[in-house]
Amino acid sequence: MIGGLVATGRRRKLAAGQYRAIVVVAAIFSAWVIYANLFTISNPLVLGILFVSGIYAIMFVAIGATPQAPDHIPFYDIVLSLLSLASGTFFYVNATQIADRISLLDPFTPAQLFFGITLLLLTLEATRRTTGLGLTVVVVAFLAYNWFGHLLPPPFGHGVDEFTYVLDILVFTTDGIFGVPIQVVATYVFLFVMFGTFLSKAGGGEFFFNLASLLTGRTRGGPAKVAVISSGLYGTMSGSPTSDVVATGSITIPVMKRLGYSARFAGAVEVAASTGGSAMPPVMGSAAFILAEYTGVDYKAVVVAALVPALLYYLGVFSQVHLRAVRDDLRPTDGETPTVSQTFRTGWVFLLPIIGIVVALLSGYSPTFTAGIGVIGVVVASALLKATRLSLWQVVEGLGETTLRILPVAGACAAAGLVIGGLSMTGLGMKAANVILVVSNSQPILTLFIAAVVTIILGLGMPTPSAYILAAVLVGPALAQLGYPVLQSHMFLLYFAILSALTPPIAVAALAAAAIADEDPFKIAFTSVKLASIGFMLPFAFVWNPALMLLADPLSNAMAVVGGLVATLAIAVAVEAFASKPVPPLERVLMAATGVAAIAPFAPVALAGILGGLALLGRHLMASRRGGLHQDAAG
């Protein structure tokens, strides 16, 4: 039942000739996106029109209407594709007239009305095919509210009561379909996805996996630790927990199962590790770009602020995996672990474009230009060695696959534009914020807790960008009214939008892992929530103490980082109830208490928490070393 709610259309497996034709068309579209972003100054409305119509035309051919859709392209999908092109052509040809018309005053011509309604319906169908029924139902509900909300009593009613009024805002301005979400996707998100595609195609994914194996493959719980590191490295490029699970989990989950790890634990490790990739700089997935655009915060500032929390998240997952591996005596990889020379013999070239992206971001270049540098960098770097060099067809295929990978994100963001436009038009966002404040009695901590729960509920079964956008427009105003700074509050919402991918009852990342692990997705989801427990605490921590996001003075930032490290390790022990030996309940409580104190924004409290946490952790570390020495002596 749950799978049906989030079921999407089926990616068609076309015959060789048809596949090549689709890839070439998609590659031409990618080339146009590069040209439009890097070599021209595009009108946002025109860019949105051409991007949406082109994406839809490819989408209806590449993705079937249902999970059981045939591989051949039926007549009705050809019609939908042609309608997408016709709508785009009409809007493009009449772009000046549309831009100059006075919204809500100039009446529609019959042609404008026809193509406006057509584009609206195409967007709903594109959303359903690419993201499933969940988001589509939400969008339809918001549309119904836009058109019929005037019938509701105060405070939820509004004054909009004309179909053309709603259509005008949602389709003929940059406040709806062509709004911020699709503008972000059409610019730097597209180019960063292209960067990840080319990096993977040249062999970057294998390099990251080998690097992770080199670091942890021969330790206890090695395969699980490899999954944590490699998924984090891959996830920062893909930005999608589900695709990360599929890409890296297809390797790591079978290896873990083969070495005796339970299917539940193997799937959960992959889900927890993959989910965090969307919060890991420098790419962080498309939602982070939307956050920067929506809030007006410079993307470089977002990346810097996100770095420490993301590293703490992975430290928490890694620590819990290690503690469980020690407790259960999980074996390391039984195969050959790559050496340093084997890993870096060809892999060093993949570090060059990543370094280029980091340098460009820190130098103040725009995210679009930075992504362009990354794409060019990975193509040039891969050409340095014969083993990684891309052929002409691989370049074409990389361009085409970028467009095909962006289809679900584009569908979700076009739908999110409909929601944002409707919310701003009816004022529902502020009304929802007022309701949240009434329920919480304007208590800051309770408001944050409600905001977290609402964001997770909004994200069930939805892509991260859609979940964040809904939370930003519905919950964000409530946090703003309480005086929470923009960056911390929106990063708070982004984290819980990301974590919704592993949270029951839907947990789309767990659904993907379940198919690989052959295990109940609910069992995987609940275990992954436990492994990712630090992730549910971090947003509250960095809102409480901005120094965790490096937003305070250097001394406070340094103390917060040290406190964060101690707190993460202490909480990992408290959650797993194990260190060198089983940890009794009272000590677990003490561990958690010192962890909370260690990240306090008050120096004396934080220092006490750090020292207390180090004392408790040090005791177990010494006991573990003594145990190891005794085992060596006995041997």
Side-chain angles (χ1 to χ4, degrees):
M1 178 180 176
I2 292 174
L5 290 175
V6 297
T8 60
R10 175 174 172 266
R11 173 85 172 268
R12 290 192 171 99
K13 296 180 180 179
L14 301 171
Q18 289 180 320
Y19 170 76
R20 283 180 171 268
I22 289 292
V23 168
V24 169
V25 171
I28 293 172
F29 182 80
S30 280
W32 168 79
V33 172
I34 295 174
Y35 175 78
N37 278 289
L38 300 182
F39 303 105
T40 65
I41 301 176
S42 299
N43 180 297
L45 180 62
V46 173
L47 178 64
I49 289 168
L50 294 177
F51 184 82
V52 167
S53 61
I55 281 289
Y56 287 0
I58 296 170
M59 180 188 300
F60 290 124
V61 172
I63 300 177
T66 66
Q68 295 78 34
D71 285 329
H72 70 271
I73 305 171
F75 175 76
Y76 56 82
D77 278 349
I78 295 175
V79 171
L80 292 177
S81 181
L82 293 175
L83 276 174
S84 301
L85 291 176
S87 299
T89 302
F90 172 81
F91 275 87
Y92 177 70
V93 170
N94 297 279
T96 302
Q97 179 184 354
I98 291 171
D100 291 341
R101 68 184 296 275
I102 302 175
S103 296
L104 312 179
L105 183 61
D106 291 344
F108 287 125
T109 65
Q112 288 174 341
L113 193 61
F114 172 78
F115 283 109
I117 295 173
T118 298
L119 191 59
L120 181 62
L121 294 176
L122 288 172
T123 297
L124 292 176
E125 174 58 12
T127 302
R128 189 196 64 79
R129 289 195 187 201
T130 56
T131 65
L133 192 60
L135 178 57
T136 309
V137 170
V138 170
V139 175
V140 171
F142 275 104
L143 288 175
Y145 175 77
N146 294 339
W147 280 314
F148 304 110
H150 64 281
L151 302 176
L152 296 175
F156 292 104
H158 58 75
V160 179
D161 61 355
E162 292 185 14
F163 174 82
T164 55
Y165 182 102
V166 177
L167 186 69
D168 200 337
I169 297 297
L170 298 184
V171 181
F172 288 85
T173 71
T174 53
D175 293 329
I177 294 174
F178 308 126
V180 168
I182 210 68
Q183 294 292 333
V184 172
V185 174
T187 52
Y188 32 91
V189 168
F190 194 98
L191 294 178
F192 269 114
V193 170
M194 185 180 296
F195 164 75
T197 301
F198 277 109
L199 193 64
S200 178
K201 188 164 286 293
E206 182 180 358
F207 165 67
F208 290 137
F209 185 84
N210 288 340
L211 180 61
S213 298
L214 174 66
L215 294 173
T216 60
R218 301 301 300 172
T219 63
R220 274 187 292 188
K225 295 174 182 176
V226 169
V228 173
I229 297 175
S230 62
S231 296
L233 293 173
Y234 185 85
T236 190
M237 297 183 299
S238 72
S240 168
T242 305
S243 65
D244 195 1
V245 166
V246 173
T248 59
S250 58
I251 300 173
T252 59
I253 291 176
V255 169
M256 285 187 274
K257 289 182 65 178
R258 189 174 71 245
L259 293 177
Y261 297 21
S262 70
R264 175 176 184 167
F265 180 65
V269 168
E270 183 59 46
V271 168
S274 297
T275 299
S278 297
M280 176 63 76
V283 179
M284 297 178 63
S286 55
F289 298 112
I290 296 172
L291 183 153
E293 192 75 19
Y294 185 79
T295 61
V297 177
D298 184 68
Y299 184 69
K300 182 174 71 173
V302 174
V303 168
V304 172
L307 180 60
V308 172
L311 293 175
L312 292 178
Y313 174 87
Y314 274 101
L315 176 63
V317 176
F318 190 92
S319 299
Q320 287 188 236
V321 167
H322 172 74
L323 293 172
R324 192 168 299 197
V326 173
R327 183 187 66 194
D328 299 340
D329 194 25
L330 298 177
R331 293 172 291 166
T333 308
D334 57 357
E336 288 293 325
T337 300
T339 63
V340 174
S341 61
Q342 289 173 334
T343 301
F344 287 95
R345 183 178 299 134
T346 58
W348 64 270
V349 300
F350 301 117
L351 298 177
L352 299 179
I354 295 175
I355 293 171
I357 282 181
V358 173
V359 171
L361 278 174
L362 295 178
S363 300
Y365 289 104
S366 69
T368 301
F369 189 78
T370 299
I373 289 175
V375 172
I376 296 170
V378 73
V379 173
V380 172
S382 66
L384 296 177
L385 299 176
K386 184 178 180 180
T388 59
R389 192 171 300 145
L390 298 171
S391 66
L392 178 61
W393 172 247
Q394 284 180 310
V395 172
V396 173
E397 200 169 30
L399 291 170
E401 284 184 12
T402 299
T403 299
L404 297 177
R405 287 185 180 187
I406 212 74
L407 296 180
V409 180
C413 286
L418 292 176
V419 174
I420 292 176
L423 287 174
S424 61
M425 179 173 53
T426 60
L428 180 60
M430 292 305 300
K431 295 171 185 175
N434 291 334
V435 170
I436 291 173
L437 293 175
V438 169
V439 172
S440 67
N441 197 27
S442 295
Q443 296 297 317
I445 299 299
L446 184 55
T447 302
L448 283 176
F449 180 78
I450 293 174
V453 173
V454 170
T455 303
I456 288 175
I457 292 173
L458 290 172
L460 296 180
M462 289 194 192
T464 299
S466 303
Y468 163 70
I469 290 168
L470 289 175
V473 296
L474 288 174
V475 183
L479 301 182
Q481 287 188 42
L482 289 181
Y484 287 114
V486 171
L487 181 54
Q488 288 103 295
S489 60
H490 279 263
M491 192 69 76
F492 179 94
L493 298 176
L494 176 60
Y495 255 78
F496 282 104
I498 292 170
L499 291 168
S500 67
L502 58 75
T503 307
I506 295 182
V508 289
L511 290 173
I516 302 172
D518 192 24
E519 178 58 283
D520 184 344
F522 275 98
K523 293 180 179 179
I524 291 176
F526 283 114
T527 304
S528 65
V529 166
K530 183 177 180 181
L531 288 174
S533 56
I534 191 66
F536 291 89
M537 304 175 194
L538 273 170
F540 292 94
F542 60 63
V543 168
W544 186 34
N545 187 358
L548 280 169
M549 300 174 74
L550 306 180
L551 296 174
D553 61 88
L555 181 60
S556 298
N557 291 343
M559 179 169 283
V561 171
V562 174
L565 292 172
V566 173
T568 300
L569 296 174
I571 289 171
V573 171
V575 171
E576 289 298 322
F578 186 87
S580 57
K581 59 183 180 180
V583 179
L586 179 58
E587 189 174 353
R588 292 173 66 188
V589 173
L590 288 175
M591 284 280 192
T594 58
V596 172
I599 57 172
F602 316 108
V605 177
L607 185 60
I610 291 171
L611 295 176
L614 288 175
L616 291 170
L617 292 169
R619 188 169 69 85
H620 284 284
L621 180 62
M622 294 301 295
S624 176
R625 287 184 174 180
R626 284 196 299 269
L629 291 174
H630 290 326
Q631 289 179 358
D632 292 341

